[in-house]
Structure formats: structure tokens, C-alpha cells
Amino acid sequence: AKRGTDTAVVARRSGQRRINLFDRSGLLEELEEALIDGSLQWHWQPKIDMRDSRVLGFEALVRWRDPRGNDVPADHLIQTVEQSPLLEDFTYHSLDRVLEQFAALQGALGHATICINISARMLERSGFVDKVTECIARHGVDPLRVTLELTETALIANPGQAKRVIEQLQDRQVGLSIDDFGAGFTSFGYLREFAVSEIKIDRSYIRRFAESRFDQSLVNSLVVLCESLGIPLVAEGVEDARTRDLLVSLGCHAGQGYGICRPMPYDDVRHWIERWNGLQSAA
Ligand code: C2E
Ligand code: MG
Ligand code: MG
Ligand code: MG
């Protein structure tokens, strides 16, 4: 706790640089606490059909305010967790919390699904499939309405094992999405090896979309590929109407982004759906 106080002083003076000054064990100690006291939150961001604005689902995104009141960026948090012994506890905690919340909202959600980010490293952990399906069943959720988004900051070390796990998840009707497709370590090899149920094009291809012939051609090819493979394609990072319209005209119909709706606290979701559906039927 003493170290925490010192860090707080440094934090106020140095702003953003605070993260670099943090010693890793300090962050992990606090996170371990957070897993117990329930202070991790998940914000929900809608994914819609951009043709008719129908809500297809929500992605749950972790939010954490550390004990000094600073918001820790999700990707920093996840990178730290992935390299720590907390990865399993964090993952099962996130599944439990998000599925509990999803179950409580199910009546208001229509056919919308829930997408939960999972570190690719979890595919190598024994008992993963059983624990996922047990958690889904415990909350009385239909596995068809659950998609795991595979995020990774490292190459999958054991593709054979990952493939088996993905097939088992599919057998149990849990969806699997390849996140940030085209960035980092993801590749076309994934599509050949793994039976995935969704592909999310990385935001970096969508950001300058309206100006970039290259990015448009790439999305165009992905649309053709996904159509022939029967895999839904999702654009993430849709920030404006022009990008949205262009994506739709190229055949990419599902989208997520600040231009549609920012991630929101769970407590706002019910009200947001009512308003959103009201706006659509008034239009
Ligand atoms: P991601 O799964 O690719 O999630 C999309 C990220 O882009 C989110 O950042 C979201 O807030 C942000 N975003 C959404 N729309 C827009 C947009 O229009 N423009 C821009 N610039 N950004 C947009 P966030 O919440 O900071 O999460 C960052 C990453 O951290 C996620 O990327 C995911 O890889 C990871 N992550 C977040 N929550 C979890 C979690 O509970 N578990 C795991 N394993 N990873 C998580
Ligand atoms: Mg994701
Ligand atoms: Mg993504
Ligand atoms: Mg990402």
C-alpha cells in the first residue's frame, strides 16, 4: 500500500508515463485484488447490420480503474495479464461476469449475441473447453449466442492443439471469431486451419478507408473470400457515415465503431437498446 501512495504522486505528475514507471508485480497484485473485489468492469459495444441498423450483438471490453483512480488501457492490461500467472483466473472471471450480465439482459436483447475477447494462449490450457461450456450452461445461456473473439499478442505456439480446441468449441456450438484480421500475427493460414465463424477486419484497414484504394480492394477481396467460405465478415473501427456506406456498397454489412456507438457501461445497455430500436422504427 505504501508503494501505491508513492506511485500515485508520481502518477499525478507524469500523467501518461505512469504506466512505464509501474513495476509489473505492483500492477499484478492490484489486479489480483480486483479479481476478488469485482472492480473489473466490461463495457459493451454494439455490432450492427449497417444496411438496416439491426443490432447483431455486443462485444464486451474490459475496463479497469486502478486503486489510484487511473484508467488502465485495455490492451496494456491484457498484455500484462497474458504474461502473468493470472491469465486463467482473469479469463474465467471475465467469462463468468460477462455471461452473468448477458443472461440478466437476455429478454431485452432479442437475437443479439455476446462476443467475449479471449487470449489465444488460453487455447493451450487444459480444460478450457469444459470450463467455457460449464460457465455458459451455469448461466443458462444458449451457446449459439456466445462468440469468443480470439485476440493475440503472440503466435499460437501449438497450432495442432489450437485446432482441436476450436473444433471442440464448434461441436459445442460456441462461435469463434478471428479478431484484428490482417494485423499482427493473424494470417490466411488461420482460415485454412481453423473453422472460424466470423472474421473481424482490423481497424487499421478501415481508418483511412474512404481515401485508400488499397484498403478498399483488400476489403473487397475479403468479402468475396468470406462469401465463398460462408463466414460472416465484420468491419471494426467504423467512425463515419461515409466509411459505413462504402463498406455496405462493397458487401461488408456488419460493423462496429465509434461512428455507430461507443462502448458503454453495462448499466446503460438496456436503455440504449430501447432508444436504438425506437429510433429505427421511427425512421
Ligand atoms: P479489440 O478486441 O480489437 O477491440 C476493439 C477496440 O477498438 C476496443 O478498444 C474498442 O474500444 C476500440 N474501438 C471500437 N470502435 C472504435 C473506433 O471506431 N475507433 C477507434 N479508434 N477504436 C475503436 P479497447 O476497449 O481499448 O480494447 C483494446 C483491446 O484489448 C481489444 O481489441 C482486445 O484485444 C483487448 N481486450 C479488451 N477487453 C478484453 C477482455 O476482456 N479480454 C481479452 N482477452 N482482451 C480484451
Ligand atoms: Mg475484439
Ligand atoms: Mg479487434
Ligand atoms: Mg485489437
Side-chain angles (χ1 to χ4, degrees):
K2 275 220 180 71
R3 177 179 47 214
T5 317
D6 296 345
T7 317
V9 175
V10 178
R12 261 180 260 120
R13 294 198 190 126
S14 66
Q16 272 293 84
R17 291 221 322 280
R18 179 186 62 83
I19 294 299
N20 303 328
L21 298 170
F22 238 136
D23 68 292
R24 178 151 285 154
S25 64
L27 177 59
L28 287 178
E29 259 167 42
E30 291 170 359
L31 248 175
E32 205 167 2
E33 231 11 75
L35 290 177
I36 297 161
D37 70 20
S39 61
L40 289 168
Q41 309 264 323
W42 274 264
H43 281 198
W44 287 31
Q45 186 181 35
K47 169 173 76 182
I48 67 160
D49 186 323
M50 295 183 287
R51 292 170 298 183
D52 56 11
S53 296
R54 193 164 47 93
V55 178
L56 302 172
F58 293 86
E59 176 175 9
L61 296 156
V62 71
R63 296 291 177 262
W64 185 45
R65 186 159 289 171
D66 73 17
R68 285 161 305 285
N70 297 305
D71 293 320
V72 178
D75 41 13
H76 175 75
L77 179 68
I78 296 305
Q79 269 171 38
T80 308
V81 167
E82 279 184 341
Q83 291 160 18
S84 81
L86 283 183
L87 177 61
E88 289 201 32
D89 283 353
F90 173 86
T91 303
Y92 297 127
H93 179 82
S94 67
L95 281 164
D96 192 48
R97 285 288 301 279
V98 174
L99 287 169
E100 180 183 20
Q101 297 188 322
F102 182 72
L105 257 191
Q106 234 166 352
L109 287 172
H111 294 289
T113 60
I114 186 73
C115 301
I116 305 172
N117 291 286
I118 298 286
S119 163
R121 294 193 174 183
M122 285 305 295
L123 299 180
E124 293 159 10
R125 302 298 169 100
S126 68
F128 178 65
V129 175
D130 286 338
K131 283 184 187 143
V132 170
T133 40
E134 182 274 322
C135 189
I136 293 172
R138 182 157 36 86
H139 291 294
V141 170
D142 179 355
L144 282 170
R145 294 179 66 185
V146 180
T147 296
L148 306 184
E149 290 193 7
L150 210 59
T151 63
E152 61 170 342
T153 55
L155 278 171
I156 293 182
N158 186 344
Q161 162 80 355
K163 188 180 162 126
R164 277 192 298 279
V165 168
I166 289 169
E167 282 164 4
Q168 286 168 18
L169 286 170
Q170 229 102 39
D171 283 347
R172 302 190 194 187
Q173 302 189 303
V174 178
L176 201 112
S177 169
I178 298 292
D179 208 346
D180 302 344
F181 188 81
F185 298 110
T186 56
S187 81
F188 286 99
Y190 275 61
L191 305 184
R192 193 178 54 198
E193 295 304 321
F194 307 145
V196 302
S197 46
E198 181 186 86
I199 291 172
K200 295 183 96 167
I201 315 166
D202 190 60
R203 200 166 70 220
S204 60
Y205 296 97
I206 308 300
R207 200 170 50 207
R208 289 178 298 268
F209 197 63
E211 289 78 45
S212 166
R213 283 285 303 276
F214 177 87
D215 293 349
Q216 290 172 29
S217 307
L218 188 114
V219 167
N220 208 9
S221 325
L222 273 179
V223 166
V224 174
L225 181 74
C226 286
E227 258 168 20
S228 73
L229 293 174
I231 305 173
L233 182 65
V234 182
E236 58 178 22
V238 180
E239 294 191 351
D240 53 73
R242 191 153 160 247
T243 302
R244 180 198 62 204
D245 294 345
L246 213 54
L247 282 163
V248 169
S249 74
L250 291 177
C252 178
H253 302 146
Q256 216 180 308
Y258 294 167
I260 297 162
C261 182
R262 286 184 177 258
M264 66 189 111
Y266 170 76
D267 289 340
D268 294 351
V269 175
R270 186 185 295 272
H271 182 67
W272 180 86
I273 297 172
E274 283 166 11
R275 243 191 36 223
W276 184 263
N277 288 341
L279 283 176
Q280 303 322 316
S281 51

